[in-house]
Amino acid sequence: MNPDLALGTYRCRDVPQAAIHAVACGASWIDTAPNYHHGRAQAHLQPVFAGNRDLRVSTKVGFFTPDIATAAGDAGVLTPAEADSGHCLTHRYVAWQSRRNAAELGHTPDLVFVHNPEQAARPHDAIASAFTALEVEARAGRIGGYGVATWTGFEGAFSVADLLDIATRCGGPGHHLAAVQLPVSLVMLKPVAQALGGIGPLAEAIAAGLDTFASAPLHGGELPSMVTDELVHLIDPGSTPADAALRVTASAPGVKRILLGSGRAQHWEAAQRALALPPLSDKTLHEVIDVLGA
């Protein structure tokens, strides 16, 4: 089954417009965070959810803007030292931020991702603190479940097995750990290479029944200008560089959702067409990895 397209709002310049195009192309999921778009992404999405109640949403806890730090300090959930760090995963802050996210969105989050826990001095302890708070939120029905969104965490800070172990310790066998998010692209090919061998975070997440989100499939919009004609020909002769790059991400075993951050209708339409094509063969993916390295 081909992965679904979802809107990722990290580098979106016009979040509401991007959401309109995403929904028009069949996207049913939006991924956001309280620190995206200078702290305004969630508020900008509130009218979108009001008009599309079936849309699902994932948000995050961890990073915060100066305005959020001030509000959290006033609420007594961030110390001055924590506020200065720009990132916090303490139990009290995570609970407060999760509820603030829901209020800003005007929508119950389907998922709350623990955002880049590799930033913490002791990642496992930080994850446990966040999971403990999010278990309370999930059991109270204030969120659907939780996960971990990471950039480099699976490079040694933790594994999917570690996350499952921590979730079980925090929430028992009925824990609400539901998803992982990580970069998968022509720039970040290691997860693809691992998945082809049946190992790594994508394979482990699927085996555990977790949802998987591929972030930065076009590396912040930089990839199309980096892809050579020779690479396009290897991946999918006649396609555009953006389509070729998306097809590699979409063909990675275990990817269920791909986060696209464009605000242009033509980009969504092209991505929709690219993801409707059959997955690339394992042979082609191996050849791409041989050319670029993992």
Side-chain angles (χ1 to χ4, degrees):
M1 180 180 294
N2 290 358
D4 294 329
L5 267 178
L7 171 62
T9 59
Y10 174 43
R11 287 190 174 180
C12 258
R13 296 180 180 178
D14 189 335
V15 172
Q17 192 65 37
I20 290 170
H21 296 320
V23 171
C25 283
S28 61
W29 198 293
I30 295 177
D31 180 74
T32 191
N35 61 309
Y36 288 176
H37 200 58
H38 310 292
R40 298 191 294 273
Q42 295 189 140
H44 286 172
L45 285 167
Q46 188 170 133
V48 176
F49 289 114
N52 299 273
R53 300 308 300 179
D54 291 335
L55 264 178
R56 303 183 73 189
V57 62
S58 50
T59 184
K60 301 179 178 73
V61 290
F63 292 109
F64 47 80
T65 64
D67 287 346
I68 295 173
T70 298
D74 291 344
V77 297
L78 274 184
T79 67
E82 289 167 344
D84 287 343
S85 73
H87 184 269
C88 183
L89 291 174
T90 62
H91 181 286
R92 64 184 184 279
Y93 175 73
V94 166
W96 178 87
Q97 183 63 72
S98 180
R99 297 178 195 184
R100 189 178 193 270
N101 289 344
E104 282 197 334
L105 290 165
H107 191 90
T108 299
D110 295 278
L111 281 173
V112 174
F113 283 113
V114 179
H115 202 177
N116 288 19
E118 63 269 27
Q119 293 279 329
R122 297 170 62 90
H124 286 226
D125 291 345
I127 292 168
S129 178
F131 281 10
T132 299
L134 293 173
E135 275 293 339
V136 172
E137 298 304 296
R139 293 183 183 193
R142 289 188 287 267
I143 65 174
Y146 58 86
V148 168
T150 180
W151 189 257
T152 61
F154 290 124
E155 293 297 308
F158 47 80
S159 66
V160 170
D162 292 331
L163 301 182
L164 290 165
D165 178 64
I166 295 168
T168 301
R169 286 193 279 113
C170 295
H175 63 75
H176 290 79
L177 176 65
V180 295
Q181 183 183 134
L182 66 156
V184 183
S185 71
L186 285 172
V187 175
M188 307 291 277
L189 270 174
K190 186 175 181 178
V192 182
Q194 290 175 319
L196 288 169
I199 61 173
L202 291 173
E204 292 167 8
I206 292 301
L210 303 181
D211 206 349
T212 54
F213 292 69
S215 61
L218 298 179
H219 205 62
E222 298 172 3
L223 252 178
S225 64
M226 299 163 60
V227 177
T228 65
D229 292 341
E230 290 80 8
L231 186 57
V232 170
H233 185 77
L234 171 62
I235 296 168
D236 186 10
S239 71
T240 68
D243 289 351
L246 281 173
R247 290 202 66 196
V248 169
T249 299
S251 302
V255 169
K256 287 188 177 182
R257 302 182 195 277
I258 294 179
L259 300 177
L260 186 67
S262 177
R264 298 184 178 182
Q266 61 267 37
H267 291 170
W268 281 94
E269 292 161 1
Q272 184 184 39
R273 291 192 297 270
L275 264 64
L277 296 171
L280 299 172
S281 68
D282 288 359
K283 177 177 181 292
T284 297
L285 291 176
H286 279 298
E287 288 173 347
V288 171
I289 292 164
D290 288 342
V291 169
L292 297 179

